[in-house]
Amino acid sequence: MSKSRSLRKRSRRRRKRKLFIGMYALIFLLVISYSGYEYLAGKHQAMSQQASAAESIDQVETVESVYKEEFNGKDNGDGKMTVLLLGVDQRGSEISRTDTIMVAEYDPAEKEAKVASLMRDLYVDIPGHGYNKLNAAFALGGPELLRETIEVNLGIETEYYSIVDFQGFTQIVDTLSPDGMKVDVEKNMQYRSGDGTTDIQIEEGPQTLDGKELLGYVRYRSDARGDFARVERQQKVIQLMKEELLSFQGVLKAPRLIGNLQPYIDTNLGGSKMVQVGKDLLLNPVESMDMISIPTTDNVWDERKPYPIGLVLNHDEESTKQTLQQFFEQK
C-alpha cells in the first residue's frame, strides 16, 4: 500500500510540474506575442508619420541611413555600460547639428546610473583638427571622432553610442505620456528661428507639455544663462522620463516605444546586447541617478576665438578632466 501511495504522489507531482511548465510557457508566449505586436505597431506608426510628412515612403529618411562612421568603443568587461548619447537635428542628408552630448553609465549590479552633460561649446583639442568646439568633432567625423575627442581630452572611454533624432524624442514623450508630461516651467519661453523650423511658445508655471512642446522646453536657450540653463532643463526632463519609464505602465509601453524609436535612432548596440540591457533594467531598475554638467560653473569662462570658431566655453583642462573622472570613479 505504501508503495502504491508513493507512486500516486509522484504521479501527482509530475502532473503539477507539467501544469506549471505549461502555464509558464503560455505566459512566455503571450508576453513575446504582445511585445512583438507592440513593437511592430510602434514601428509602423513612426514610419507612417514620416511618410506623411515626406509625401511618400520612398522619401523617408532615417538616422541610421545617414551615419555610417566606424565606432571603436570596446566593452571593458567591468559589468557597467557606458554610452555616448547624442541628440541631433537631422534634416535630410545634410550634416546634423549636435545640440545634446551626454555620457551615460548604467551599473545593473548597483542599480545606479550616472549622466554627464557635456556642453557643446566646450573648447577641446579634436584629434587631427586642432582646437574647436566639442560638437564640431561630430560634424567633422561623426560619433567615432567625438568618442576619440572625449577620450583624449577628458579621459573617459565610451563603449557604445546612440544617436537620437529630435523627432525620436517627441515619439518617446508621446508614447510614454499620451496626455502630456507635467513640468513646472521656470519662465516664459518665446523663440522662433529665422527659417521657421523652430517655434517655442511656452508659458511660465505648471504646464502639461506634449512631445513637441517638451522638445522646445529642453532646447530653449534664449536667455542670459544659455546652454547652462538648457542642460539643467535636459537633466530635469531625463529624471521625469526615467520615473515614467520605470513605472508599471512604462514597462508595458517599452516594446511600442522601441518600435517608435527605430526610424529615429542609430546605435551600435546589437540585438543581443539590447535584450540584455532590457532584462537588466527590468530586474535591476535604476534606483539612483547622479548628474553633472561639464564644464562646472567654477571652471569656465567665455572666450572668443578667430572665425569660424567664434565664442567658446574655455576651461582649465586638467581640472575638467579630474572632475569628470572622479564623477565616474575612474583613475
Coordinates of all heavy atoms in Angstrom, one line a residue, residues 169-170 172-187 189 200-219 233 236-237 240-241:
F169 N 12.7 62.0 -29.9 CA 12.4 62.5 -28.6 C 10.9 62.7 -28.4 O 10.3 62.3 -27.4 CB 13.2 63.7 -28.3 CG 12.9 64.4 -27.0 CD1 13.5 64.0 -25.8 CD2 11.9 65.4 -26.9 CE1 13.2 64.6 -24.6 CE2 11.6 66.0 -25.7 CZ 12.3 65.6 -24.5
T170 N 10.3 63.3 -29.4 CA 8.9 63.6 -29.3 C 8.1 62.3 -29.3 O 7.1 62.2 -28.6 CB 8.4 64.5 -30.5 OG1 8.5 63.8 -31.7 CG2 9.2 65.8 -30.5
I172 N 9.2 59.4 -28.0 CA 9.3 58.9 -26.6 C 8.3 59.5 -25.7 O 7.5 58.8 -25.0 CB 10.7 59.1 -26.1 CG1 11.8 58.4 -26.9 CG2 10.8 58.7 -24.6 CD1 13.2 58.7 -26.5
V173 N 8.2 60.8 -25.7 CA 7.3 61.5 -24.8 C 5.8 61.2 -25.1 O 5.1 60.9 -24.2 CB 7.5 63.1 -24.9 CG1 6.5 63.8 -24.0 CG2 8.9 63.4 -24.5
D174 N 5.4 61.2 -26.3 CA 4.0 61.0 -26.7 C 3.6 59.5 -26.5 O 2.5 59.2 -26.3 CB 3.8 61.4 -28.1 CG 3.8 62.9 -28.4 OD1 3.7 63.6 -27.4 OD2 4.1 63.3 -29.5
T175 N 4.6 58.6 -26.5 CA 4.3 57.2 -26.2 C 4.2 57.0 -24.7 O 3.3 56.3 -24.3 CB 5.4 56.3 -26.9 OG1 5.4 56.5 -28.3 CG2 5.0 54.8 -26.6
L176 N 5.1 57.5 -24.0 CA 5.1 57.3 -22.5 C 4.0 58.1 -21.9 O 3.3 57.5 -21.0 CB 6.4 57.8 -21.9 CG 7.6 56.9 -22.0 CD1 8.9 57.6 -21.5 CD2 7.4 55.6 -21.3
S177 N 3.7 59.3 -22.3 CA 2.7 60.1 -21.7 C 1.8 60.7 -22.8 O 1.9 61.9 -23.2 CB 3.3 61.3 -20.9 OG 4.2 60.8 -19.9
P178 N 0.8 59.9 -23.3 CA -0.1 60.4 -24.4 C -0.8 61.7 -24.0 O -1.2 62.4 -24.9 CB -1.0 59.2 -24.6 CG -0.3 58.0 -24.0 CD 0.5 58.5 -22.9
D179 N -1.1 61.9 -22.8 CA -1.8 63.1 -22.3 C -0.9 64.2 -22.0 O -1.3 65.3 -21.5 CB -2.7 62.8 -21.1 CG -3.8 61.7 -21.4 OD1 -4.3 61.7 -22.6 OD2 -4.1 60.9 -20.6
G180 N 0.4 64.0 -22.2 CA 1.4 65.1 -21.9 C 2.1 64.8 -20.6 O 1.7 64.0 -19.8
M181 N 3.2 65.5 -20.4 CA 4.1 65.3 -19.2 C 4.0 66.6 -18.4 O 4.2 67.7 -19.0 CB 5.5 65.0 -19.6 CG 6.4 64.6 -18.5 SD 8.0 63.9 -19.1 CE 7.4 62.3 -19.7
K182 N 3.8 66.5 -17.1 CA 3.7 67.7 -16.2 C 5.1 68.2 -15.9 O 5.9 67.5 -15.4 CB 2.9 67.3 -15.0 CG 1.5 66.9 -15.2 CD 0.8 66.5 -13.9 CE -0.7 66.1 -14.2 NZ -1.4 65.7 -12.9
V183 N 5.2 69.5 -16.2 CA 6.5 70.2 -16.0 C 6.3 71.5 -15.4 O 5.3 72.3 -15.8 CB 7.3 70.4 -17.3 CG1 8.6 71.1 -17.0 CG2 7.5 69.0 -18.0
D184 N 7.1 71.9 -14.4 CA 7.0 73.3 -13.8 C 7.9 74.2 -14.6 O 9.2 74.1 -14.4 CB 7.4 73.2 -12.3 CG 7.1 74.5 -11.6 OD1 6.6 75.4 -12.2 OD2 7.5 74.7 -10.4
V185 N 7.4 74.9 -15.5 CA 8.2 75.8 -16.4 C 8.6 77.0 -15.6 O 7.8 77.7 -15.0 CB 7.4 76.2 -17.6 CG1 8.2 77.1 -18.5 CG2 6.9 75.0 -18.4
E186 N 9.9 77.3 -15.5 CA 10.5 78.3 -14.7 C 10.4 79.7 -15.2 O 10.6 80.7 -14.5 CB 12.0 78.0 -14.4 CG 12.9 77.9 -15.6 CD 13.0 76.6 -16.2 OE1 12.1 75.7 -16.0 OE2 13.9 76.4 -17.0
K187 N 10.1 79.9 -16.5 CA 10.0 81.2 -17.1 C 9.3 81.2 -18.4 O 9.1 80.1 -19.0 CB 11.4 81.8 -17.3 CG 12.2 81.1 -18.3 CD 13.7 81.5 -18.3 CE 13.8 83.0 -18.6 NZ 15.2 83.4 -18.6
M189 N 8.9 81.3 -22.3 CA 9.9 81.0 -23.3 C 9.2 81.2 -24.7 O 8.3 80.6 -25.0 CB 10.3 79.5 -23.2 CG 11.0 79.2 -21.9 SD 11.4 77.4 -21.8 CE 12.1 77.4 -20.1
I200 N 9.0 78.1 -30.4 CA 8.8 77.8 -29.0 C 7.9 78.8 -28.3 O 8.3 80.0 -28.3 CB 10.2 77.7 -28.2 CG1 11.0 76.6 -28.9 CG2 9.9 77.3 -26.8 CD1 12.5 76.6 -28.4
Q201 N 6.8 78.4 -27.8 CA 5.9 79.4 -27.1 C 5.4 78.7 -25.9 O 4.4 77.9 -25.9 CB 4.7 79.8 -28.1 CG 5.1 80.4 -29.4 CD 5.8 81.7 -29.3 OE1 5.5 82.5 -28.3 NE2 6.7 82.0 -30.2
I202 N 6.0 78.8 -24.8 CA 5.7 78.1 -23.5 C 5.6 79.2 -22.4 O 6.4 80.0 -22.2 CB 6.7 77.1 -23.2 CG1 7.0 76.1 -24.3 CG2 6.3 76.3 -21.9 CD1 8.1 75.1 -24.1
E203 N 4.5 79.1 -21.6 CA 4.3 80.0 -20.5 C 4.8 79.5 -19.2 O 4.9 78.3 -19.0 CB 2.8 80.3 -20.4 CG 2.2 81.0 -21.6 CD 0.7 81.3 -21.3 OE1 0.2 80.9 -20.3 OE2 0.1 81.9 -22.2
E204 N 5.2 80.4 -18.3 CA 5.7 80.1 -17.0 C 4.7 79.4 -16.2 O 3.5 79.7 -16.3 CB 6.2 81.4 -16.3 CG 6.8 81.1 -14.9 CD 7.2 82.5 -14.3 OE1 7.1 83.5 -15.0 OE2 7.6 82.4 -13.1
G205 N 5.1 78.5 -15.3 CA 4.2 77.9 -14.3 C 4.0 76.4 -14.6 O 4.6 75.8 -15.6
P206 N 3.2 75.7 -13.8 CA 2.9 74.3 -14.1 C 2.2 74.1 -15.4 O 1.2 74.7 -15.7 CB 1.9 73.9 -12.9 CG 2.2 75.0 -11.9 CD 2.5 76.2 -12.6
Q207 N 2.8 73.2 -16.3 CA 2.2 73.0 -17.6 C 2.2 71.5 -17.9 O 3.0 70.7 -17.3 CB 3.1 73.7 -18.7 CG 3.3 75.2 -18.5 CD 2.0 76.0 -18.8 OE1 1.0 75.5 -19.4 NE2 1.9 77.2 -18.3
T208 N 1.3 71.1 -18.8 CA 1.3 69.7 -19.3 C 1.7 69.8 -20.8 O 1.0 70.4 -21.6 CB -0.1 69.1 -19.2 OG1 -0.4 69.1 -17.8 CG2 0.0 67.7 -19.7
L209 N 2.9 69.3 -21.1 CA 3.5 69.5 -22.4 C 3.5 68.2 -23.2 O 3.9 67.2 -22.6 CB 5.0 70.0 -22.3 CG 5.2 71.3 -21.4 CD1 6.6 71.7 -21.4 CD2 4.3 72.5 -21.9
D210 N 3.2 68.3 -24.5 CA 3.3 67.1 -25.3 C 4.7 67.0 -25.8 O 5.6 67.8 -25.5 CB 2.3 67.2 -26.5 CG 2.5 68.3 -27.4 OD1 3.6 68.9 -27.4 OD2 1.5 68.7 -28.1
G211 N 5.0 66.0 -26.7 CA 6.3 65.8 -27.1 C 7.0 67.0 -27.8 O 8.1 67.3 -27.5
K212 N 6.3 67.6 -28.7 CA 6.8 68.7 -29.4 C 7.1 69.9 -28.5 O 8.1 70.6 -28.6 CB 5.8 69.2 -30.5 CG 6.4 70.3 -31.4 CD 5.4 70.6 -32.5 CE 5.9 71.8 -33.4 NZ 4.9 72.1 -34.5
E213 N 6.2 70.2 -27.6 CA 6.3 71.3 -26.6 C 7.5 71.0 -25.7 O 8.3 71.9 -25.4 CB 5.0 71.5 -25.9 CG 3.9 72.0 -26.7 CD 2.6 71.9 -26.0 OE1 2.4 71.0 -25.2 OE2 1.7 72.8 -26.3
L214 N 7.6 69.8 -25.2 CA 8.7 69.4 -24.3 C 10.0 69.5 -25.0 O 11.0 69.9 -24.4 CB 8.5 68.0 -23.7 CG 9.3 67.7 -22.5 CD1 8.9 68.6 -21.3 CD2 9.1 66.2 -22.1
L215 N 10.1 69.2 -26.3 CA 11.3 69.3 -27.1 C 11.7 70.8 -27.1 O 12.9 71.1 -26.9 CB 11.1 68.8 -28.5 CG 12.3 69.0 -29.4 CD1 13.6 68.3 -28.9 CD2 12.0 68.5 -30.8
G216 N 10.8 71.7 -27.3 CA 11.0 73.1 -27.3 C 11.6 73.6 -25.9 O 12.5 74.4 -25.8
Y217 N 11.0 73.0 -24.9 CA 11.4 73.3 -23.5 C 12.9 73.0 -23.3 O 13.6 73.8 -22.7 CB 10.5 72.6 -22.5 CG 10.9 72.8 -21.1 CD1 10.7 73.9 -20.4 CD2 11.5 71.7 -20.4 CE1 11.0 74.1 -19.0 CE2 11.8 71.8 -19.0 CZ 11.6 73.0 -18.4 OH 12.0 73.1 -17.1
V218 N 13.3 71.8 -23.7 CA 14.7 71.4 -23.4 C 15.7 72.0 -24.4 O 16.9 72.0 -24.1 CB 14.8 69.8 -23.5 CG1 14.0 69.2 -22.4 CG2 14.5 69.2 -24.8
R219 N 15.2 72.5 -25.5 CA 16.1 73.1 -26.5 C 16.3 74.6 -26.3 O 17.2 75.2 -26.8 CB 15.6 72.9 -27.9 CG 15.7 71.4 -28.3 CD 15.5 71.2 -29.8 NE 16.6 71.7 -30.6 CZ 16.6 71.8 -31.9 NH1 15.6 71.5 -32.6 NH2 17.7 72.2 -32.6
R233 N 17.6 72.0 -17.8 CA 16.3 71.5 -18.2 C 16.3 70.1 -18.8 O 15.4 69.3 -18.5 CB 15.7 72.5 -19.2 CG 15.2 73.8 -18.5 CD 14.4 74.6 -19.5 NE 15.2 75.2 -20.6 CZ 15.9 76.3 -20.5 NH1 15.9 77.0 -19.4 NH2 16.6 76.7 -21.6
K236 N 16.6 67.7 -15.9 CA 15.3 67.7 -15.2 C 14.3 66.8 -15.9 O 13.6 65.9 -15.3 CB 14.7 69.1 -15.1 CG 13.3 69.2 -14.5 CD 12.9 70.7 -14.6 CE 11.5 71.0 -14.1 NZ 11.2 72.4 -14.1
V237 N 14.3 66.9 -17.3 CA 13.3 66.1 -18.1 C 13.8 64.6 -18.1 O 12.9 63.7 -18.1 CB 13.2 66.7 -19.5 CG1 12.5 65.7 -20.4 CG2 12.5 68.0 -19.5
L240 N 12.3 63.0 -15.1 CA 10.9 62.8 -15.2 C 10.6 61.6 -16.1 O 9.7 60.8 -15.8 CB 10.2 64.1 -15.8 CG 10.2 65.3 -14.9 CD1 9.7 66.5 -15.7 CD2 9.3 65.1 -13.7
M241 N 11.4 61.5 -17.2 CA 11.2 60.4 -18.1 C 11.6 59.1 -17.5 O 11.0 58.0 -17.8 CB 11.9 60.7 -19.4 CG 11.3 61.9 -20.2 SD 12.3 62.3 -21.7 CE 12.0 60.8 -22.7

